[in-house]
Amino acid sequence: MQIDPTALPEVLILTPRRFGDARGWFMETYNATRMAEAGIDIAWVQDNQSFSAAKGTLRGLHYQRPPHAQDKLVRCSRGAILDVAVDFRAGSPRFGKWVGVELSAENGRQLLVPKGFLHGFVTLTDDTEVQYKCSDVYAPDCDGAVRWDDPQIGVDWGIAAPVLSDKDRNAPLLAEAPRPFTWEGGK
């Protein structure tokens, strides 16, 4: 597995190796031992999958606050997405900065989004499926969101009028959102 940093050092791109032959290909998407050897020692407790019928469907920017904060390992198993992580840790020198990575069934890449980061994606194709591992279970009382089009963050989604849920359409701006995460130095 190849592991590459992004402009936000805690957010990583993981690219599993594919082994192909005349039948197609095989890819190991997760191996706890290999991940731990690479310094990624996260206990995954929940797997999620979403389907979006229309290109331009945007889901985000979401987070889950402590005590049920989640690390996420995201991949696109059908179609393609622009996957986005935003530093949401109060006091971080990169607070409000974002990174976007194209994940697709074709490129096989995965994005590791740690606790303390907002997460969202927009579908780049119709009929898109996204799968992700979470380090904690979904807890509705800890669920939160920040507006997808917040000008303070300035994510370039590449779309002006996405398909949105009411939750995402009505989420607060970054300046109005609570600050459940604190930067603890380091990267």
Side-chain angles (χ1 to χ4, degrees):
M1 172 149 333
Q2 180 177 327
I3 301 174
D4 297 303
T6 66
L8 300 175
E10 301 87 351
V11 178
L12 302 172
I13 301 169
L14 286 66
T15 307
R17 290 183 54 205
R18 285 189 178 172
F19 302 91
D21 60 25
R23 299 168 297 168
W25 54 264
F26 169 84
M27 175 174 72
E28 186 177 83
T29 61
Y30 178 75
N31 179 306
T33 301
R34 288 196 177 116
M35 293 290 198
E37 289 169 356
I40 302 169
D41 193 13
I42 299 172
W44 303 110
V45 300
Q46 181 174 311
D47 280 358
N48 297 332
Q49 182 171 352
S50 71
F51 171 77
S52 299
K55 175 181 178 178
T57 299
L58 195 149
R59 298 174 185 261
L61 296 162
H62 301 153
Y63 67 92
Q64 198 165 274
R65 70 180 171 275
H68 295 288
Q70 296 176 323
D71 301 290
K72 295 179 181 178
L73 182 60
V74 185
R75 67 188 180 101
C76 183
S77 55
R78 181 172 159 195
I81 63 172
L82 175 65
D83 203 33
V84 171
V86 179
D87 192 332
F88 191 50
R89 300 167 301 165
S92 168
R94 293 174 295 280
F95 180 80
K97 302 292 184 207
W98 66 277
V99 64
V101 177
E102 184 174 323
L103 307 181
S104 69
E106 186 175 316
N107 69 27
R109 292 190 291 187
Q110 302 177 68
L111 194 66
L112 178 64
V113 181
K115 296 175 180 108
F117 288 75
L118 302 171
H119 174 251
F121 64 85
V122 64
T123 59
L124 304 175
T125 64
D126 290 337
D127 300 325
T128 299
E129 290 185 22
V130 175
Q131 299 180 2
Y132 55 101
K133 296 183 169 306
C134 297
S135 63
D136 206 324
V137 296
Y138 173 68
D141 56 320
C142 294
D143 190 36
V146 171
R147 274 262 298 278
W148 68 278
D149 61 348
D150 186 310
Q152 184 178 346
I153 300 171
V155 174
D156 180 4
W157 296 101
I159 186 165
V163 178
L164 295 167
S165 69
D166 288 341
K167 169 188 169 180
D168 293 341
R169 184 178 295 105
N170 299 318
L173 295 171
L174 184 63
E176 302 162 349
R179 300 283 188 273
F181 302 99
T182 303
W183 183 62
E184 296 178 9
K187 293 183 182 179

